[in-house]
Amino acid sequence: MLVPHTRRILSREFVAVERTSRVPHSVRHDGIPFAPPARAAIDAARQETDPATVGRILSLTIYHGLCTQNDLQTELEAGNQRGTASVRKILRRLGSMSDTYLHGVARRFLEHVPLPPPTWNMTICDRHARPIGVVAAWWDEVGLGWQFGTRNNGNPAPKMNDLALTAAGVVLVRTSREQLCTNDAGIARELTSAFASAARRRRPNVLAYGAASAAGSLLPARDMSATVGSKNLTMGITVSSTSKS
C-alpha cells in the first residue's frame, strides 16, 4: 500500500505499507484505487530477492499488455532507487519485447470482441505445405488472419507478400500499432465484419502451422488450439494501492 510520505502508518503482517512522495494517479477497480501497472510492477519487483520472480513480474506485465518496457524503465529511473540494482539488470536482460506487448494488448482487446479465440503467430501454407505468409492471429475455422504492429509480427518465418495470402483466399485484416493502441471500436467492427464475411464463403484450401518446435516440426493450427486450450495458466501481479488515510 502506498501512502503519502507525511503519513505515519506502519506495516502489518497482512499489508506492506510504503511511504512515498510520488503518490501516482490511481486506476480505480471496483472502487479501489490501484497504482498504474508500471509503478505496481517496479514496486513489487524491488521487494523481491529471487531473480526469477523479478523476471516474471516484469515480463508478465509486458506479456499481458499492461505496460511497455519503456514504461517500466521510466518508472525505474524516476522512483525509489532502493532495491533496484537487480531489477535494472533483469530489465536489461529482457531485451526488446515490443511485439510481446502488442500481442498482450491484442489478447486483452479480443476478450471484449464477440469472436472465438484465435491461435497466435501462425505460418500460413498452401495445400502442399509451402509457406505463403505469416499472421499474428488466425481463425482457422474460417480462414481469417490478423496482422498488427511490425510487418513480421515476431514470427521467425521470412517476410512474405500479403498478396499471396489474399490470392490464396485468406481474409486478412491489417492493423497498425497506433490503431491497436487507440482505436478499439473501429478494430472490433473490422474484425467482426471480416469474420462474418469469411464465414459466408468456403474456407480456403490452406494450412496453418505454429512456430517450429525444438525438434524442428510444425504444429497445425487445430492441434495448436487443443494444446493451448488444455493448459490452465494462472498469473498474479501484486499491485500497490494509493491511500489518503
Side-chain angles (χ1 to χ4, degrees):
M1 176 182 289
L2 299 180
V3 300
H5 71 285
T6 55
R7 305 297 296 175
R8 295 292 186 269
I9 301 176
L10 300 179
S11 297
R12 297 290 188 269
E13 62 215 20
F14 56 89
V15 61
V17 176
E18 179 166 328
R19 295 163 58 216
T20 178
S21 60
R22 298 176 55 251
V23 178
H25 293 293
S26 61
V27 179
R28 289 191 172 268
H29 181 69
D30 291 338
I32 301 173
F34 288 93
R39 175 66 181 271
I42 294 298
D43 281 351
R46 286 194 299 106
Q47 306 299 322
E48 292 292 339
T49 57
D50 177 28
T53 301
V54 173
R56 284 194 296 272
I57 291 173
L58 300 177
S59 61
L60 286 175
T61 308
I62 301 171
Y63 175 84
H64 286 278
L66 298 173
C67 68
T68 67
Q69 200 164 358
N70 285 339
D71 293 333
L72 291 173
Q73 187 65 48
T74 299
E75 178 58 42
L76 182 63
E77 299 298 335
N80 190 327
Q81 296 302 296
R82 187 179 71 252
T84 61
S86 63
V87 178
R88 195 179 303 276
K89 183 185 300 184
I90 291 170
L91 190 57
R92 284 197 302 266
R93 287 178 183 173
L94 291 180
S96 176
M97 295 184 68
S98 59
D99 284 337
T100 301
Y101 167 72
L102 283 183
H103 278 76
V105 172
R107 281 189 294 270
R108 293 176 61 217
F109 166 70
L110 287 180
E111 292 175 0
H112 307 286
V113 179
L115 292 176
T119 49
W120 299 91
N121 289 331
M122 305 302 287
T123 298
I124 311 304
C125 304
D126 63 18
R127 59 191 181 90
H128 300 295
R130 294 176 299 204
I132 57 175
V134 294
V135 293
W138 174 251
W139 286 267
D140 192 68
E141 61 270 38
V142 297
L144 169 64
W146 186 20
Q147 295 177 335
F148 51 78
T150 58
R151 292 288 296 165
N152 211 31
N153 300 303
N155 195 300
K159 296 180 181 179
M160 300 170 200
N161 196 333
D162 294 345
L163 291 177
L165 289 171
T166 54
V170 171
V171 175
L172 198 59
V173 175
R174 303 179 188 87
T175 304
S176 70
R177 179 189 180 98
E178 292 72 21
Q179 288 176 313
L180 182 60
C181 295
T182 61
N183 190 24
D184 286 5
I187 299 170
R189 287 192 297 269
E190 187 174 7
L191 283 173
T192 52
S193 175
F195 188 92
S197 176
R200 284 194 295 268
R201 50 79 161 131
R202 177 177 294 183
R203 183 192 180 283
N205 190 13
V206 296
L207 304 171
Y209 294 93
S213 68
S217 61
L218 292 170
L219 188 62
R222 290 181 177 83
D223 293 341
M224 177 75 75
S225 298
T227 302
V228 174
S230 67
K231 295 180 180 178
N232 182 16
L233 302 180
T234 303
M235 188 278 294
I237 296 179
T238 303
V239 296
S240 305
S241 63
T242 60
S243 172
K244 295 182 179 179
S245 61

